[in-house]
């Protein structure tokens, strides 16, 4: 179809004029984007059909990834690359006077996620398709994705993200495959043939309409599917108040909850969860039965991965289907169900473990409640038999407790495998947070260290580095990212190290150009680009970075003639709208930035910039330009992190704690190629267990700490009054839960090492080593591990057809 540039140009102009009803010369960038997107979708359709046909006829086992979030970002350039037509399209468009980069800018980020968890789901879909696994995603088509962040006077202001307002070229609405989801009502039981039967009556019905998004594999003719559900009113409204019914129904898929870890405790959120799993399971069961599957062997052809606890209602929902619709006995239904699901845990932060008030749960989902109650009772009965009289064990392991449904215990009991997302995290689960469960189910817990799609986070976002690597070691790493290790043979090649330096300079220059255009700020390109981008959270410790910046500025003022290494500190972070502390930190970053950027002495060396509206497409611009990657969470708190992996792959050096996957990065590259500091997880946990940390002592005894902390409230930061009292209180009065002051001195020392090591030969060697060892953190490796150790699925081979 796009065999030659001229053929492409001809077809593009024709498509554009047909779609827009205008002469080519009058068309807008948006119309051009739409035309190109439409052509791409048409181009991939035959492979989409063929992939689905193959899956139908092979009847092999398939995996379904259930996630309340998919943080996809933009798709256009990726689709072009995966179809192998990027060059012909880019050059063709240029002949027509259209830079592809201009058209790319039209596409809205698909921001259907908050951060790491949602982006992980997107990377997994990419790897599933690129490795030709039969794996599909199920999620929600939120009409509004994660809010847009604007900064007004240094404060975060949230704006809705109406990303669908101009339609979505990638999706296909499949009204014919809509299903009904039932809420509220009551459950009636009756006896037939000595068996209790349950019926869920007088429910409120909602239509779940699927929108399918094609998920391309990298140049391999595989096109999997991400199915996103949209809630619509049923054509037969349940009661007379049609307007209210319509409003309530549409509300279900109106917004993504802008909360990372805190449980928002909203009925609507529970509705979203059940809506997702009920609709998805109905589809899966329907297609399984259509292919003449016997539901007793469902688990032999279907495996469902639950991304965190949000989709865990799938467990009682499959029980409901097997009990109420197929008339299975409890034992058989439970056997099938617990062989179908696997659960991924993403956090040990206790405030993030999901629970629902029973009264609410029971009112919204009465049949689900009945089933969860029975799962709970049978489980407690089993525990009683194992350890009679051990009430404390039963209490800790129970699903219902204190008037609440606890989702993590339900997930663990109802699935055949539980995995953590990095080695350290899995160890903490097994030895501490979920020790009792681990002992109750030996062998159920596994580790699957997260990964990132190297195709997006290196090949797409960093073309200069990609070409440099190709020139150095050939292209095999593109499909086998572990082959990046071949770079290690070139550690002492001064020519290659110099080229790495040139590539980094070029990427920094591109970022500077973008920041100038978008925000009107001129970045100093010869400085270290030190980047801290992630959700704003106390445990991620953006505050530690800020205190270091204040302290560095103080040192510069004291010794203005010292030869300071210039540095640009870049931040990007969204705070959950209800998370006051996090929002105050955003204001603090801005106040510190103002104080520094206005100081004629300090600003000669350092610059602080907060880039608003951090999201996937911004991350893709920032990460290739980073010299330093800030991964400074309190040890034991960050389950894995994936931002850390993206930076590593792009040759930034990490300053970080031994937390999450940083530990595994350290194991691969060694301490000499990163800047480690601070307490380790063991030390943090023993402080938490035994006490002994007094933050005030660090404040009192370290003048650098006292100076910087005092500056938050002593009028040094203009026009902020007592705004930052709560932050100082969190450090001193509340004894600094996240050990910011405890790690301060160590962080400062590490930052000084960064400054003195920068731009030496050894720096670029470390850059090379980081890139070389980053292949392990490709999500291709992660997905192969899931496929082999958990899912028991094989890639679909094309050769047979
Ligand atoms: C990768 C990514 C994250 C996760 O970053 P962490 O540093 O691991 O918390 C969050 N948001 C976006 C947009 C990302 O691309």
């Amino acid at each position: 179809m796009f065999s030659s540039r001229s053929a492409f140009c001809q077809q593009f102009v024709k498509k554009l004029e047909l779609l827009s009803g205008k002469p080519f010369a009058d068309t807008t960038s948006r119309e051009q984007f739409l035309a190109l997107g439409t052509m791409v979708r048409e181009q991939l359709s035959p492979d989409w059909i063929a992939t689905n046909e193959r899956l139908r006829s092979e009847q092999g086992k398939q995996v379904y990834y259930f996630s309340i979030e998919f943080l996809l970002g933009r798709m256009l350039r990726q689709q072009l690359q995966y179809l192998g037509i990027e060059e012909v399209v880019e050059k063709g468009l240029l002949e027509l006077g259209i830079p592809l980069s201009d058209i790319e800018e039209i596409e809205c980020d698909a921001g259907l996620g908050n951060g790491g968890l949602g982006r992980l789901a997107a990377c997994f879909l990419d790897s599933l398709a690129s490795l030709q696994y039969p794996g599909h995603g199920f999620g929600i088509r939120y009409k509004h994705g994660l809010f847009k962040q604007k900064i007004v006077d240094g404060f975060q202001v949230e704006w809705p993200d109406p990303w669908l307002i101009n339609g979505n070229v990638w999706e296909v609405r499949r009204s014919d495959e809509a299903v009904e989801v039932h809420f509220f009502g009551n459950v009636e039981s009756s006896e037939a043939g000595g068996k209790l039967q349950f019926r869920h009556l007088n429910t409120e019905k909602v239509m779940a309409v699927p929108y399918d998004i094609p998920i391309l594999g990298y140049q391999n003719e595989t096109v999997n599917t991400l199915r996103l559900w949209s809630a619509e009113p049923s054509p037969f409204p349940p009661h007379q108040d049609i307007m209210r019914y319509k409003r309530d129904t549409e509300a279900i898929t109106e917004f993504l909850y802008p909360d990372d870890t805190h449980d928002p405790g909203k009925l609507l959120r529970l509705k979203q969860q059940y809506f997702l799993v009920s609709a998805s399971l109905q589809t899966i069961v329907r297609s399984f039965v259509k292919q003449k599957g016997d539901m007793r062997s469902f688990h032999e052809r279907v495996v469902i991965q639950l991304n965190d606890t949000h989709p865990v209602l799938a467990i009682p929902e499959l029980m409901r289907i097997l009990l109420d619709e197929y008339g299975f006995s409890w034992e058989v239904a439970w056997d099938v169900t617990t062989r179908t699901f696997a659960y991924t845990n993403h956090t040990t932060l206790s405030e993030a473990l999901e629970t629902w008030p029973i009264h609410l749960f029971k009112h919204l989902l009465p049949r689900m409640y009945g089933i969860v109650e029975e799962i709970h009772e049978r489980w407690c009965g089993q525990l009683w038999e194992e350890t009679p009289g051990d009430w404390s064990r039963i209490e800790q392991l129970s699903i219902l407790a204190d008037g609440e449904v606890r989702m993590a215990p339900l997930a663990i009991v109802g699935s055949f495998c539980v995995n953590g997302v990095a080695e350290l995290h899995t160890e903490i689960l097994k030895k501490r947070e979920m020790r009792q469960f681990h002992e109750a189910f030996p062998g159920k817990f596994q580790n699957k260290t997260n990964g990132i799609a190297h195709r997006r986070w290196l090949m797409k976002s960093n073309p200069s580095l990609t070409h440099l690597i190709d020139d150095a070691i050939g292209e095999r790493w593109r499909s086998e990212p572990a082959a990046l290790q071949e770079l290690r043979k070139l550690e002492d090649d001064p020519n290659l190290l110099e080229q790495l330096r040139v590539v980094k300079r070029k990427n920094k220059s591109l970022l500077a150009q973008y920041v100038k255009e978008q925000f009107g700020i001129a970045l100093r390109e010869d400085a270290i680009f030190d980047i801290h981008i992630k959700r704003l959270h106390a445990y991620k410790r953006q505050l530690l970075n800020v205190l270091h910046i204040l302290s560095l500025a103080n040192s510069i003022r004291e010794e203005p003639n010292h030869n300071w290494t210039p540095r640009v500190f870049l931040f990007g972070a969204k705070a959950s709208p209800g998370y006051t502390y996090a929002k105050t930190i955003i204001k603090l970053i801005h106040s510190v930035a103002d104080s520094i950027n206005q100081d004629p002495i300090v600003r000669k060396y350092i610059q602080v910039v907060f880039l608003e509206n951090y999201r996937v497409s911004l991350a893709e611009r920032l990460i290739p330009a980073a010299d330093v990657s800030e991964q400074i969470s309190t040890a034991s708190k960050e389950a894995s992190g994936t931002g850390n992996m993206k930076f590593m792959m792009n040759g930034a050096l990490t300053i970080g704690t031994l937390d999450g996957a940083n530990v595994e990065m350290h194991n691969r590259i060694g301490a000499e190629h990163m800047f480690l500091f601070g307490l380790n997880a063991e030390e943090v946990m023993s402080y938490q267990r035994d006490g002994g940390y007094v933050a005030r002592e660090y404040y009192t005894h370290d003048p650098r700490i006292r100076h910087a902390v005092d500056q938050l409230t002593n009028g040094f930061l203009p026009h902020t009054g007592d705004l930052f009292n709560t932050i100082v209180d969190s450090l001193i009065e509340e004894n600094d839960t996240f050990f910011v002051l405890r790690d301060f001195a160590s962080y400062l020392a590490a930052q000084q090492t960064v400054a003195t090591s920068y731009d030496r030969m050894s720096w670029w060697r470390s850059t090379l080593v980081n890139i070389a060892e980053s292949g392990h953190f490709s999500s291709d490796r992660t997905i192969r591990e899931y496929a082999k150790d958990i899912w028991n699925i094989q890639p679909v081979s094309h050769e047979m057809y």
Side-chain angles (χ1 to χ4, degrees), residues 71 115-116 119 457 533-534 540 614-616 619 641-643 646:
L71 192 49
R119 184 55 226 174
W457 294 106
I533 45 174
K534 47 185 75 242
K540 291 179 182 276
Y614 177 55
R615 61 197 186 284
V616 172
T642 49
K646 299 168 195 166

Side-chain angles (χ1 to χ4, degrees), residues 513-772:
Q513 196 184 323
Y514 175 79
V515 169
K516 180 80 199 159
E517 281 165 16
Q518 293 292 311
F519 304 100
I521 300 168
L523 300 182
R524 180 171 172 176
E525 293 177 28
D526 64 339
I528 297 177
F529 278 22
D530 177 323
I531 307 193
H532 201 169
I533 45 174
K534 47 185 75 242
R535 283 302 286 257
L536 216 140
H537 243 288
Y539 82 84
K540 291 179 182 276
R541 298 203 294 193
Q542 280 91 354
L543 179 57
L544 180 56
N545 190 345
V546 172
L547 290 175
H548 163 249
I549 294 170
L550 278 169
S551 187
L552 179 60
N554 293 335
S555 304
I556 292 172
R557 270 185 226 100
E558 280 160 23
E559 266 191 88
N561 297 321
H562 176 81
N563 183 24
W564 299 99
T565 311
R567 220 195 279 223
V568 176
F569 293 96
L570 291 158
F571 288 88
K574 286 179 182 173
S576 186
Y579 189 0
T580 313
Y581 171 89
K583 293 180 122 174
T584 310
I585 298 284
I586 289 181
K587 174 63 179 172
L588 175 62
I589 297 170
H590 282 91
S591 300
V592 169
D594 288 347
S595 81
I596 281 169
N597 301 338
Q598 283 160 22
D599 182 322
I601 295 170
V602 177
R603 75 167 177 221
K604 278 202 282 193
Y605 301 105
I606 62 182
Q607 195 176 9
V608 180
V609 178
F610 186 99
L611 298 173
E612 71 182 4
N613 204 29
Y614 177 55
R615 61 197 186 284
V616 172
S617 57
L618 186 55
E620 288 179 66
R621 292 182 191 275
L622 287 163
I623 293 168
D627 294 306
V628 175
S629 158
E630 296 276 351
Q631 307 299 336
I632 61 177
S633 55
T634 310
S636 81
K637 301 291 178 192
E638 185 76 86
S640 162
T642 49
N644 46 2
M645 303 170 185
K646 299 168 195 166
F647 281 102
M648 180 193 195
M649 200 172 267
N650 283 271
L653 305 195
T654 300
I655 180 163
T657 48
L658 279 175
D659 198 16
N662 298 355
V663 175
E664 289 155 77
M665 289 164 52
H666 169 245
N667 291 345
R668 302 192 78 81
I669 63 181
E672 68 268 38
H673 299 299
M674 60 200 297
F675 304 95
L676 292 175
F677 72 95
L679 298 174
N680 63 29
E682 218 32 73
E683 291 164 332
V684 167
M685 292 188 293
S686 76
Y687 267 134
Q688 286 171 337
R689 200 174 44 234
D690 312 329
Y693 173 51
V694 183
R696 191 186 297 275
E697 288 175 359
Y698 290 82
Y699 169 79
T700 315
H701 294 129
D702 189 334
R704 298 166 307 176
I705 295 185
R706 203 166 56 237
H707 192 180
V709 170
D710 286 351
Q711 283 172 323
L712 303 193
T713 49
N714 67 5
F716 171 80
L717 300 172
H719 316 299
T720 55
D722 55 8
L723 248 177
F724 303 128
N725 284 4
T726 50
I727 293 174
V728 175
D729 284 351
S730 78
L731 292 174
I732 311 295
E733 306 303 325
E734 293 157 35
N735 201 32
D736 185 16
T737 317
F738 295 100
F739 301 92
V740 173
L741 303 188
R742 179 68 181 76
D743 280 350
F744 180 85
S746 169
Y747 181 58
L748 239 66
Q751 284 288 22
Q752 275 164 12
T753 313
V754 168
T756 52
S757 329
Y758 181 60
D759 207 14
R760 295 171 184 276
M761 185 77 107
S762 61
W763 180 280
W764 301 108
R765 186 175 304 123
S766 292
T767 287
L768 185 83
V769 170
N770 271 269
I771 298 166

